[in-house]
Amino acid sequence: MTEPVTTPPPGCPAHADAAPLYGPRFQTDPGALYQELRDRHGPVAPVELAGGVPAWLVIGYRELQLVTGQPKVFGRDSTRWNQWPNIPEDWPLKPMMAPVPSILYAEGAEHQRRSSAVTDALAAVDPYELRVHCEEIADRLIDGFAGRGEADLVADYAHRLPLLVLCRLFGLDEDEAPVLIRGLLAMLDGGADAQEGAQQLLTVMLGLVHRRREIPAADATSRLLAHEAGLNDEEVMRDLRVLLIAGHQPLAYWISNALRLMLTDERFAASLSGGRRSIGQALGEALWEDTPTQIFAGRWATRDVHLGGQRIAKGDMVLLGFAGANADPTVRQDSGRPAEGNRAYLSFSAGDHGCPYPAREAAEVIANTAIEVLLDRLPDLRLAVSESALVWRPSAWVRGLMALPVAFTPGYVAE
């Protein structure tokens, strides 16, 4: 179990056959790549990130549960990464794994302290009020394009609705939403402006914390500041940024991926006019087939260890391959599809750092309401381009469309 091993840099035997988690092939059909990796390497495969940075990708369902369930072996604190000396300052993926003092990288008692505050702040959200807010925001956004007879359901709807809901929950001004969206996309796409995007988010969150420290309100930020865990302003600011990223991007692409499924898969065609297939079923299948967070960075080995037939060295980065694990043949039916109603997907992660239950509940309310209101308002919604023309984001982390163009009969717009 703890046999000494050495860290394999790119070019050494253990990573000589590493697959790049970037480029056109990964962007267009990651599922085929995961299957090839499984056939060639098993449940844990050598991969490389942008710039030739080595890592291990866990695509086995059981192995991913082992990694997330053993924090003493696979820790969350990224300061232990053995590749930091080789990472340039301007590495575009750095904002997603740079060691910062937040709930995302905290371990042990410190993580429990911060996690309890976040869970309690989110648990205080009333599901009924949340649904009312979602309906109001959804109607307002649809009013903005209903009269045109066409829209991009990513930019016009799926990106904006969750963020506006989160702004209300956190106490942010809605006019800050465009800045937040630009910062979020810059971080997750891993481009040249990724670090600038990360700083934009911190600046907005710090301003919010200062306002709520001075004048508390009935929002999650004020509850975090008042929590018995005693979080200071910087801790709240950093944890709010984590909540914003974790709450917005996966939710936005969950909504748009489910809509894509309903618009392109004939099994869901009747759902568009309130037929046999429910919205909940489409949302569930989207988590299995095109889970929004396809890879998460990550965990770092606290000691030399064997996992899925691979020798993982102390300090190696282990990426959580949620999409690959959800496609593991050991959890699929003979048809290749999960059993209807099966909620055993790993899309919300697992273990101590898994998505808190109140956040999962809120996400389901928002996603269901977003699609229900949209289909109620625009019942003849249809894809405006061929399915083959849809383009996926060039991100190692999220699985989401760049755009989802639709057409429909121009509808009623509230005055």
Side-chain angles (χ1 to χ4, degrees), residues 93-105:
L93 299 184
K94 187 175 180 181
M96 294 301 297
M97 56 194 72
V100 295
S102 73
I103 187 175
L104 198 60
Y105 298 104

Side-chain angles (χ1 to χ4, degrees), residues 321-383:
F322 298 133
N326 283 347
D328 191 326
T330 64
V331 294
R332 308 298 289 238
Q333 298 184 105
D334 293 339
S335 65
R337 294 189 178 276
E340 192 167 287
N342 185 349
R343 297 169 64 90
Y345 39 71
L346 291 172
S347 302
F348 292 103
S349 193
D352 292 346
H353 278 271
C355 182
Y357 184 71
R360 300 186 193 194
E361 277 193 315
E364 290 188 14
V365 170
I366 297 169
N368 269 284
T369 306
I371 298 179
E372 285 175 4
V373 175
L374 182 69
L375 299 187
D376 182 56
R377 291 283 303 274
L378 307 172
D380 68 340
L381 199 67
R382 58 195 180 276
L383 197 62

Side-chain angles (χ1 to χ4, degrees), residues 17-342:
D17 199 20
L21 297 184
Y22 53 86
R25 182 165 181 247
F26 175 72
Q27 180 182 350
T28 56
D29 193 6
L33 177 61
Y34 299 146
Q35 185 56 51
E36 285 187 19
L37 290 175
R38 195 188 315 277
D39 293 341
R40 188 180 308 152
H41 301 287
V44 180
V47 295
E48 66 175 39
L49 296 169
V53 176
W56 299 100
L57 178 64
V58 182
I59 52 176
Y61 189 92
R62 174 179 173 272
E63 286 74 17
L64 199 148
Q65 288 185 314
L66 286 172
V67 169
T68 56
Q70 298 188 56
K72 292 186 178 179
V73 181
F74 299 99
R76 191 67 191 94
D77 184 355
S78 65
T79 59
R80 58 173 58 92
W81 192 17
N82 52 32
Q83 290 297 310
W84 277 125
N86 303 321
I87 301 299
E89 283 298 318
D90 60 350
W91 190 48
L93 299 184
K94 187 175 180 181
M96 294 301 297
M97 56 194 72
V100 295
S102 73
I103 187 175
L104 198 60
Y105 298 104
E107 298 178 343
E110 175 62 11
H111 178 261
Q112 179 58 40
R113 180 178 77 96
R114 299 175 82 145
S115 177
S116 66
V118 166
T119 300
D120 290 346
L122 296 177
V125 175
D126 184 288
Y128 175 77
E129 290 184 5
L130 178 60
R131 181 177 178 84
V132 171
H133 292 329
C134 290
E135 290 175 344
E136 173 195 329
I137 292 170
D139 274 323
R140 178 154 44 95
L141 291 175
I142 295 169
D143 282 344
F145 57 76
R148 301 201 309 256
E150 61 180 18
D152 171 7
L153 291 184
V154 173
D156 295 334
Y157 195 66
H159 266 168
R160 297 180 65 192
L161 186 146
L163 188 57
L164 293 175
V165 173
L166 289 172
C167 282
R168 186 168 296 188
L169 293 180
F170 291 175
L172 285 160
D173 295 329
E174 285 194 3
D175 59 8
E176 294 175 294
V179 175
L180 294 172
I181 288 179
R182 286 196 298 271
L184 286 164
L185 293 179
M187 283 186 65
L188 291 168
D189 284 350
D193 55 351
Q195 298 199 39
E196 180 184 349
Q199 188 56 50
Q200 286 177 330
L201 297 185
L202 286 177
T203 300
V204 171
M205 289 305 171
L206 186 58
L208 170 63
V209 169
H210 287 166
R211 292 195 301 272
R212 285 297 176 259
R213 180 69 79 180
E214 184 176 346
I215 306 175
D219 54 44
T221 303
S222 299
R223 290 192 290 272
L224 280 174
L225 289 167
H227 196 271
E228 63 184 7
L231 302 180
N232 60 39
D233 287 6
E234 182 174 351
E235 289 174 328
V236 173
M237 175 265 291
R238 293 194 177 278
D239 289 353
L240 281 173
R241 188 186 75 155
V242 170
L243 291 177
L244 182 70
I245 296 171
H248 176 260
Q249 291 291 282
L251 183 49
Y253 292 124
W254 188 15
I255 293 169
S256 59
N257 289 356
L259 285 169
R260 183 200 67 84
L261 180 65
M262 298 175 77
L263 290 164
T264 59
D265 190 324
E266 61 182 12
R267 295 176 304 119
F268 289 90
S271 300
L272 297 175
S273 56
R276 294 182 300 277
R277 288 276 174 176
S278 74
I279 292 169
Q281 288 171 319
L283 284 166
E285 183 150 339
L287 289 179
W288 280 107
E289 304 300 334
D290 279 315
T291 192
T293 303
Q294 62 175 340
I295 295 175
F296 187 79
R299 299 292 188 272
W300 286 267
T302 64
R303 61 174 185 260
D304 300 341
V305 64
H306 280 91
L307 178 70
Q310 301 287 2
R311 305 169 70 203
I312 312 296
K314 179 180 179 180
D316 276 3
M317 178 164 61
V318 177
L319 301 173
L320 308 183
F322 298 133
N326 283 347
D328 191 326
T330 64
V331 294
R332 308 298 289 238
Q333 298 184 105
D334 293 339
S335 65
R337 294 189 178 276
E340 192 167 287
N342 185 349

